């Protein structure tokens, strides 16, 4: 009788497990889009629908009592950490063989890891990793060389050469004497890079769908969405203003669940009150007037996949208990049928309303709020994502140059001060108007002001640019406090333009706002009367809340 061994293929998604059985001479190619010609001879194909798995990831071949694993040049490696195109052979174990082919996103990196790398476009990704790790090593007075080199099929298997998602390798080479913790540090750096690789590849997928992610604030939101999907979360709530990218994050969640079903999107504001139940859960033929055929509801269509419910706050009260029952038990009833149906669906809901206040005002069921609020991710508005604005405008072509490159310095400063209440819809409209109005040459601050005003609902606020000259003594003291906070967090003063922008946005502005508004002495943001502060500072409440939230989070 032919002996067989079972191999369990695992990915970062908890439900994405594939079990295969190998005979004495069987071969298998595993990947997102496996090619039967990736190995010599006949081979089974195992498709793993995960964004972190390469098209041809790893090959497994059995020859009698020997198993060989061949890494096919994947970006994220395998649990065995096989170098691309290298081979490892071992004797068939007596137990099932488990193979991890994509790093779990929520793996522990460690509190002492380098600061998050920051990049604006894919060309900067590898250098941003190298910079972050080099700074981390320098702060620990470790004498080491870091370099970005081309990925190679003959990659050495020695520690310190780490695969990057762009196909390159990051080399971390110790130049002095290693202490006992060096190998542990290298292992941590591998986890650090693997986590960033997942983020980078996710951003590339979102970029193909038209959603740019370049800001630290949005990257944090993406990371939380990926972590929720990797943990097996059944429910995710996305909060934030309309047009901030919530549907893109919902699709990101679906990809990282690696489930076989479809992504189904429904907008609760578009449901008529009479048909909302049938739109969600379906209806039998003849269940109501003009019902001439059975309606397949969104829940049924999304079985084994993800259902995205946008504008959840508009869901009628009478349907909310039906959604709650489905979330609790996975059961629902079609209109016109007393029989219970079952479906396995992940739910992502989005709202631009404050559902907490709606629940307290009895406008939304409190029990449904508590059921949906297991994982809540706040999607930041566009005015908190200056890097995203720059990246989007840089992608908009205007002749042979990008739109952003054409802005004069004062025009760029005006853009950084604008609140973008319409978020991406407003930004895209602004860019289209400007390309038509100024097809050639530099773009002045007045031309930007006109293009902004044409798409604004309210008059533009006057510029808050300070006049040049020596800073008053008190202002200089506040700036020094902000600088001390940055130095404490980063280990050095701002040295690059991106670091200067980080310092100004997250340290200097919050300190100045708190000091000038006389709120720096208060214990927390909850103790601030935002309307009064906004009036005193001649700002809107959103700006006051943003700056003071940053202040109390860091300096409070």
């Amino acid at each position: 009788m032919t002996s067989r061994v079972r191999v369990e293929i695992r990915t970062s998604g908890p439900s994405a497990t594939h079990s295969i059985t190998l005979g004495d001479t069987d071969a298998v190619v595993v990947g997102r889009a496996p090619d039967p010609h990736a190995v010599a001879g006949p081979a089974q194909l195992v498709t793993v629908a995960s964004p972190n798995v390469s098209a041809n990831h790893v090959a497994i071949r059995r020859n009698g009592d020997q198993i060989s694993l061949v890494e096919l040049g994947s970006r994220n490696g395998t649990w065995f950490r096989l170098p691309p195109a290298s081979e490892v052979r071992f004797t068939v174990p007596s137990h099932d063989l488990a193979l991890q082919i994509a790093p779990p996103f929520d793996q522990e990196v460690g509190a002492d890891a380098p600061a998050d790398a920051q990049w604006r476009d894919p060309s900067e990704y590898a250098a941003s990793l190298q910079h972050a790790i080099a700074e981390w090593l320098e702060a620990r007075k470790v004498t080491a060389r870091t370099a970005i080199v081309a990925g190679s099929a003959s990659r050495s298997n020695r520690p310190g050469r780490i695969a990057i998602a762009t196909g390159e390798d990051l080399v971390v080479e110790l130049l002095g004497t290693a202490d006992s913790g060096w190998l542990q540090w290298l292992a941590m750096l591998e986890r650090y890079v693997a986590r960033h690789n997942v983020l980078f590849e996710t951003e590339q997928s979102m970029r193909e769908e038209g959603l740019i992610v370049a800001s630290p604030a949005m990257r944090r939101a993406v990371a939380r969405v990926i972590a929720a999907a990797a943990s097996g979360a059944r429910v995710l709530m996305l909060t934030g203003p309309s047009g901030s990218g919530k549907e893109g994050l919902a699709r990101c969640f679906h990809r990282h669940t690696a489930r076989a079903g479809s992504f189904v999107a429904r907008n609760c504001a578009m449901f008529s009150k009479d048909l909302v139940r049938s739109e969600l859960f379906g209806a039998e033929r003849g269940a109501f007037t003009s019902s001439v055929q059975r309606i397949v509801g969104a829940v049924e269509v999304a079985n084994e996949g993800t259902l995205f419910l946008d504008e959840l706050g508009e869901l009628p009260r009478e349907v909310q208990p039906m959604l709650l029952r489905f979330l609790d038990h996975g059961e629902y009833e079609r209109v016109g049928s007393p029989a219970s149906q079952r479906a396995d669906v992940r739910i992502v809901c989005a709202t631009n309303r404050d559902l907490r206040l709606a629940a307290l005002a009895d406008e939304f069921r409190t029990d449904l709020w508590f059921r949906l609020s297991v994982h809540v991710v706040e999607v930041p508005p566009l005015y908190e994502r200056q890097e995203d604005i720059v990246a989007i405008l840089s992608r908009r072509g205007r002749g042979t140059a990008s739109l952003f490159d054409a802005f004069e310095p004062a025009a760029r400063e005006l853009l950084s001060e604008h609140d973008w209440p319409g978020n991406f819809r407003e930004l895209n409209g602004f860019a289209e108007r400007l390309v038509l109005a100024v097809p050639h040459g530099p773009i002045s601050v007045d031309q930007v002001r006109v293009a902004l005003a044409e798409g604004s609902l309210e008059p533009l606020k006057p510029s808050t640019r300070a006049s040049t000259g020596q800073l008053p003594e008190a202002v200089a003291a506040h700036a020094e406090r902000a600088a001390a906070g940055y130095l404490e967090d980063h280990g050095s003063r701002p040295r690059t333009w991106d670091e200067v922008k980080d310092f100004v946005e997250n340290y200097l502005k919050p300190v100045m706002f708190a000091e000038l508004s006389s709120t720096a002495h208060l214990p927390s943001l909850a103790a601030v009367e935002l309307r009064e502060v906004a009036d005193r500072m001649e700002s809107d409440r959103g700006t006051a809340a943003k700056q003071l939230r940053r202040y109390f989070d860091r300096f409070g």
Side-chain angles (χ1 to χ4, degrees), residues 504-515 547 550-551:
V504 171
E505 290 298 323
N506 297 303
Y507 295 83
L508 181 58
K509 283 185 179 180
V511 168
M512 294 297 298
F513 196 98
E515 295 289 354
Q547 299 298 343
R550 289 176 176 174
Y551 173 80

Side-chain angles (χ1 to χ4, degrees), residues 20-22 26-30 39 42-46 58-61:
I20 60 176
T21 303
L22 296 176
D26 286 344
V28 176
V29 176
V30 182
V39 296
Q44 304 176 49
L45 302 180
V46 174
V58 66
I60 309 167
R61 184 182 297 278

Side-chain angles (χ1 to χ4, degrees), residues 306-473:
T306 303
L307 174 60
F308 173 53
L309 297 177
D310 199 5
E311 298 194 53
L312 184 76
E314 305 303 318
L315 190 68
R317 280 292 297 258
E318 55 266 30
V319 181
Q320 291 177 24
M322 303 175 191
L323 177 60
L324 179 64
R325 178 172 181 262
F326 176 68
L327 291 171
D328 284 341
H329 305 290
E331 297 179 349
Y332 65 96
E333 294 176 0
R334 300 190 189 104
V335 178
S337 172
S340 291
Q341 310 293 327
R342 297 192 64 85
D344 178 14
V345 178
R346 301 289 187 263
I347 300 288
V348 180
C349 53
T351 178
N352 56 15
R353 293 182 59 191
D354 190 334
L355 289 188
R356 294 178 178 87
L357 293 180
L360 291 173
D362 199 30
E363 297 172 356
F364 192 84
R365 288 182 65 104
T366 56
D367 48 4
L368 182 55
W369 159 258
F370 287 120
R371 184 64 181 84
L372 291 170
S373 61
V374 180
H375 299 277
V376 180
V377 176
E378 182 178 355
V379 184
L382 191 58
Y383 67 76
E384 293 186 3
R385 297 152 55 181
Q386 293 296 320
E387 296 86 353
D388 292 342
I389 296 172
V390 173
I392 290 169
L393 294 177
S394 297
R395 288 191 76 192
R396 296 299 294 262
R398 201 187 66 139
T400 58
S402 76
L403 183 61
F404 184 78
D405 289 339
F407 291 124
E408 294 179 349
R412 294 183 182 184
E413 190 165 353
L414 179 60
L415 286 178
S416 70
E417 295 176 352
H418 188 58
D419 287 340
W420 301 105
N423 292 287
F424 281 104
R425 295 186 182 96
E426 181 183 3
L427 177 61
N428 288 330
F430 162 78
E432 289 183 18
R433 285 192 298 275
L434 206 53
V435 167
L436 290 175
V438 194
H440 308 288
I443 301 175
S444 70
V445 65
D446 291 334
Q447 291 168 325
V448 167
R449 185 177 288 109
V450 169
L452 287 174
E454 287 180 353
S456 296
L457 293 173
E458 299 179 355
L460 297 183
K461 295 186 304 181
S463 175
T464 59
R465 285 178 290 166
S467 60
T468 59
Q470 188 173 4
L471 287 174
E473 184 177 345

Side-chain angles (χ1 to χ4, degrees), residues 217-228 235-240 246 249 253 349-351 356 372-380:
M218 193 59 174
R219 284 200 176 113
R220 286 191 291 270
V222 171
R224 292 193 61 194
V225 168
I226 297 174
V235 177
L236 175 70
M237 179 181 290
L238 302 172
T239 64
K246 295 190 290 295
L249 287 175
F253 175 87
C349 53
T351 178
R356 294 178 178 87
L372 291 170
S373 61
V374 180
H375 299 277
V376 180
V377 176
E378 182 178 355
V379 184

Side-chain angles (χ1 to χ4, degrees), residues 191-210:
R191 295 192 298 272
Y192 169 85
V193 173
R195 181 181 175 89
H196 277 76
N197 282 344
V198 173
L199 271 176
F200 176 82
E201 293 187 329
T202 299
E203 288 181 18
Q204 292 304 99
S205 299
M206 298 174 76
R207 187 179 291 258
E208 292 171 2
E209 297 169 354

Side-chain angles (χ1 to χ4, degrees), residues 531-551:
R531 185 183 300 278
E532 179 182 330
V533 168
D535 291 343
R536 184 163 66 248
M537 294 293 290
E538 298 183 0
S539 72
D540 57 77
R541 291 179 65 187
T543 298
K546 175 183 71 170
Q547 299 298 343
L548 292 178
R549 184 184 302 113
R550 289 176 176 174
Y551 173 80

